[in-house]
Amino acid sequence: MAASMLGSAWLPRRLIVPGLCRRRLPQHMRVRSHRLPELAVSGRSVAAASGPGASSTDLYCLELLRKRDYEGYLCSLLLPAESRSAAFALRAFNVELAQVKDSVSEKTIGQMRMQFWKNTVEDIYCDSPPHQPVAIELWKAIKRHNLTKRWLMKIIDEREKNLDDKMYRNIQELETYAENTQSSLLYLTLEILGIKDLHADHAASHIGKAQGIVTCLRATPYHGSRRKVFLPMDICMLHGVSQEDFLRKSQDKNVRDVIYDIASQAHLHLKHARSFHKSVPVKAFPAFLPTVALEDYLKKIQRVDFDIFHPALQQKNPLLPLSLYIQSWRKRY
């Protein structure tokens, strides 16, 4: 393998991952596992997860998440009951923004939609939300948990900047995007949980960066199908890889080395986040459940020797709901 920028951050490229269910669960967890909030996905289960008093706007956010951010949906279901509706609203808000780039044909139209959400956040903080389901639920969340406006605006601003179809110039630029979107989302989730802690914020920063990097990797085949590549230019240039290599789904060694370096940076951020484990309040751990899916993807990409186009990477993990549930009991991230 070519010399890697970040090789020291990763384990050997070939890794044997022990099976998740090799040992039987303790009796108390086997019994309670039948009560997972959501395994069989249906409209009825969505309503049940929301509770008997769920409003139509709450159900709208839930359904949007279930369809567009399934992992975020599962993580939100495992938050404390008093925090769930706010988390659904927050993640639905993020989905609305994330969808803009792929749903518009012109940048100007995308900017108009982003301006709508900027105006919406301003109106929400003036207690005058527009009659839009996500906006109404976000207003309720802000009123109940006193969420910081700055983080919401950062998400919008960064998503708006990202409307340009340009490769990230370097890994730091990708990390900045991840910090302002995914990390901001985690800071707000911590506020929903009532957590104000510097160590938790540091962990959230690194987890958000890891999540942004992994999201970029996971989306590479989809972007390639649309003749677009967004992977950091500096790492591609280091290994002599062009955009065309990704567009033709090359499996050359230097292409895998690019993916290895980028994935290694995500792995490094998870490692840094876990270095705060003993200092982070236990109440904050539910906010960090997304690390389960991140770890799962990084292990899978390692198994296929960093072939970003391998079919195994496009398959959902059917055990993810159970993995998240078990992790929520372990009080770890």
Side-chain angles (χ1 to χ4, degrees):
M1 187 185 76
S4 164
M5 288 171 60
L6 300 160
S8 61
W10 202 278
L11 297 173
R13 281 177 69 160
R14 296 290 186 183
L15 177 68
I16 299 174
V17 181
L20 176 66
C21 295
R22 184 164 295 172
R23 292 185 297 175
R24 288 173 63 81
L25 291 171
Q27 180 64 31
H28 72 282
M29 293 189 72
R30 292 205 302 274
V31 173
R32 293 182 67 93
S33 67
H34 293 299
R35 302 176 200 161
L36 273 171
E38 199 278 352
L39 278 175
V41 179
S42 67
R44 185 175 178 181
S45 65
V46 167
S50 303
S55 63
S56 60
T57 53
D58 192 24
L59 292 174
Y60 176 91
C61 290
L62 230 81
E63 188 64 14
L64 179 63
L65 271 190
R66 187 180 68 81
K67 289 180 178 179
R68 302 295 182 183
D69 180 14
Y70 185 64
E71 290 172 6
Y73 169 64
L74 293 176
C75 291
S76 298
L77 285 172
L78 289 168
L79 293 177
E82 66 274 12
S83 305
R84 278 180 215 146
S85 60
F88 294 144
L90 182 60
R91 287 194 169 272
F93 165 73
N94 186 59
V95 168
E96 290 278 7
L97 296 174
Q99 289 183 144
V100 171
K101 186 172 182 176
D102 288 335
S103 63
V104 299
S105 55
E106 297 179 15
K107 180 181 175 182
T108 305
I109 299 173
Q111 290 173 324
M112 291 171 63
R113 292 195 184 178
M114 293 299 183
Q115 188 59 49
F116 164 79
W117 282 107
K118 287 181 184 179
N119 295 340
T120 293
V121 171
E122 294 289 353
D123 290 343
I124 283 173
Y125 279 89
C126 293
D127 277 339
S128 181
H131 293 289
Q132 198 273 359
V134 175
I136 291 170
E137 286 302 308
L138 188 61
W139 170 67
K140 292 178 185 176
I142 289 168
K143 290 282 285 183
R144 183 171 184 178
H145 300 283
N146 193 28
L147 302 183
T148 302
K149 179 181 175 183
R150 180 174 76 258
W151 303 127
L152 295 167
M153 286 302 196
K154 270 198 171 189
I155 297 172
I156 301 172
D157 289 341
E158 198 63 36
R159 293 281 189 190
E160 184 174 15
K161 289 178 191 174
N162 199 241
L163 290 173
D164 293 318
D165 285 338
K166 295 180 181 177
M167 292 178 75
Y168 297 103
R169 288 175 295 180
N170 48 53
I171 191 73
Q172 290 77 23
E173 199 170 84
L174 172 54
E175 288 174 331
T176 297
Y177 172 76
E179 167 71 28
N180 290 332
T181 53
Q182 300 296 342
S183 298
S184 293
L185 198 63
L186 289 176
Y187 298 146
L188 288 162
T189 305
L190 288 172
E191 290 186 348
I192 287 171
L193 293 172
I195 305 296
K196 293 183 179 180
D197 181 84
L198 188 60
H199 297 295
D201 288 345
H202 283 323
S205 175
H206 285 294
I207 292 169
K209 287 174 183 174
Q211 193 161 18
I213 293 169
V214 167
T215 299
C216 184
L217 288 173
R218 291 174 75 170
T220 295
Y222 168 74
H223 289 145
S225 69
R226 304 183 71 185
R227 305 289 300 172
K228 296 175 183 178
V229 179
F230 297 110
L231 298 174
M233 290 173 60
D234 61 339
I235 298 179
C236 291
M237 290 172 65
L238 177 70
H239 295 289
V241 174
S242 67
Q243 290 191 45
E244 190 60 33
D245 289 320
F246 285 102
L247 296 180
R248 62 183 177 85
K249 300 183 178 180
S250 171
Q251 297 180 358
D252 292 347
K253 178 177 170 296
N254 56 343
V255 172
R256 293 178 188 232
D257 285 348
V258 168
I259 302 303
Y260 172 75
D261 277 356
I262 297 170
S264 291
Q265 189 71 347
H267 176 83
L268 189 62
H269 280 299
L270 283 181
K271 186 177 178 181
H272 284 326
R274 285 170 178 149
S275 71
F276 298 101
H277 181 272
K278 293 182 179 179
S279 305
V280 172
V282 173
K283 277 183 63 179
F285 289 3
F288 301 152
L289 281 172
T291 58
V292 174
L294 298 182
E295 194 73 56
D296 179 64
Y297 181 82
L298 291 173
K299 285 180 179 178
K300 282 200 295 186
I301 202 170
Q302 197 171 19
R303 288 192 202 108
V304 300
D305 199 21
F306 301 91
D307 174 9
I308 195 69
F309 299 105
H310 196 284
L313 298 178
Q314 310 307 315
Q315 298 169 0
K316 282 186 177 180
N317 178 2
L319 293 176
L320 181 61
L322 181 60
S323 300
L324 285 165
Y325 187 67
I326 292 171
Q327 191 75 348
S328 70
W329 273 82
R330 287 177 175 171
K331 306 298 181 185
R332 293 168 54 191
Y333 65 87

